[in-house]
Amino acid sequence: MLEKEISQAVIRRMPRYYRYLGELLDEGVERISSSDLSRRMNVTASQIRQDLNNFGGFGQQGYGYNVQSLYEEIGRILGLDTEHKIIIIGAGNLGQALANYVKFEKLGFVITALFDVNPALKGQSVRGIPIYMLDELDEYCRTHQVDIAALTMPKSKADSIAKKVVELGIHAIWNFAHVDLRIDDKNVVVESVHLSDSLMQLSYNIVKQSN
């Protein structure tokens, strides 16, 4: 990969390329041109070439892209060639729904534990993944590898929990709490998922379509 700053807009499109290339592999497609890929994805061929050129030259003029090679290379760019251990803090409906989503494991994201403050959940499990009490978090992090903490608790608790996981040495947070976290450590990566924001964007487009 080239040593250059890649825009977040390009990075956000890479998982979509990966998904479409995976579908092509399932269909037995061995190679594809940028124009054919653009028709499938509804993205211009020029945009596809520009995006992929940020990471090096993958296509050959007159041949296009080798689907298997490009799929594997984008997977490497996205870090999918490395297993990532995830814990979920907040074992309510959303936390349990995440734990039940088996496709994460196929991408190399392995959920190893859930944590909660509800004593009724102590000792239970979701799809074989144990639920611990929050006061067991420190000991768990000392004895297990944890790469990512997913926060699915109420927003009033999110900042304090985020601070705690950073102190425990976790440097990646997947934030589902409806709040923008205040993290001072620049080495910590935060990806926030605001489900209601996406729904409001959908609502805007519905209104726009009907006008």
Side-chain angles (χ1 to χ4, degrees):
M1 188 174 110
L2 297 179
E3 293 296 327
K4 60 185 288 187
E5 187 69 26
I6 310 297
S7 77
Q8 288 298 311
V10 172
I11 294 168
R12 282 193 295 270
R13 286 192 289 271
M14 298 307 286
R16 189 161 178 249
Y17 292 131
Y18 188 79
R19 175 162 50 86
Y20 271 86
L21 289 164
E23 292 173 0
L24 288 168
L25 286 176
D26 290 340
E27 296 170 15
V29 177
E30 295 182 0
R31 65 172 179 169
I32 192 167
S33 66
S34 56
S35 58
D36 286 340
L37 188 57
S38 74
R39 282 191 287 272
R40 280 179 172 258
M41 297 183 60
N42 197 28
V43 177
T44 67
S46 174
Q47 182 70 76
I48 291 171
R49 290 192 294 269
Q50 288 177 31
D51 286 349
L52 297 180
N53 283 342
N54 280 286
F55 301 96
F58 301 120
Q60 299 176 32
Q61 191 169 4
Y63 178 88
Y65 299 106
N66 180 289
V67 175
Q68 180 72 49
S69 296
L70 185 57
Y71 178 79
E72 292 175 356
E73 187 63 22
I74 291 178
R76 186 191 66 77
I77 290 166
L78 293 172
L80 303 182
D81 56 343
T82 302
E83 187 174 87
H84 303 278
K85 299 292 182 63
I86 303 176
I87 59 171
I88 298 173
I89 304 179
N93 291 335
L94 179 55
Q96 293 194 31
L98 290 177
N100 272 311
Y101 191 59
V102 296
K103 190 173 182 181
F104 291 145
E105 291 171 4
K106 296 177 181 177
L107 295 172
F109 299 96
V110 180
I111 299 170
T112 59
L114 297 94
F115 293 85
D116 206 281
V117 295
N118 182 357
L121 295 173
K122 183 177 176 63
Q124 294 190 28
S125 64
V126 179
R127 199 170 53 86
I129 304 167
I131 300 176
Y132 298 95
M133 293 295 92
L134 188 59
D135 60 13
E136 300 176 272
L137 179 63
D138 294 48
E139 178 62 23
Y140 185 90
C141 289
R142 278 195 293 269
T143 56
H144 295 78
Q145 175 186 338
V146 180
D147 302 306
I148 302 169
L151 308 188
T152 59
M153 80 290 294
K155 66 178 184 179
S156 60
K157 305 292 185 183
D159 269 317
S160 60
I161 294 298
K163 181 179 179 182
K164 182 178 184 64
V165 300
V166 170
E167 290 172 349
L168 289 170
I170 300 171
H171 290 104
I173 297 174
W174 197 17
N175 173 36
F176 287 85
H178 195 64
V179 62
D180 294 322
L181 297 175
R182 298 186 293 271
I183 304 292
D184 295 328
D185 191 334
K186 302 303 182 185
N187 293 317
V188 176
V189 179
V190 179
E191 178 68 24
S192 294
V193 181
H194 295 305
L195 298 176
S196 59
D197 286 8
S198 179
L199 196 57
M200 284 186 281
Q201 290 173 31
L202 177 62
S203 176
Y204 167 81
N205 286 312
I206 292 171
V207 172
K208 182 180 178 183
Q209 188 76 12
S210 62
N211 289 339

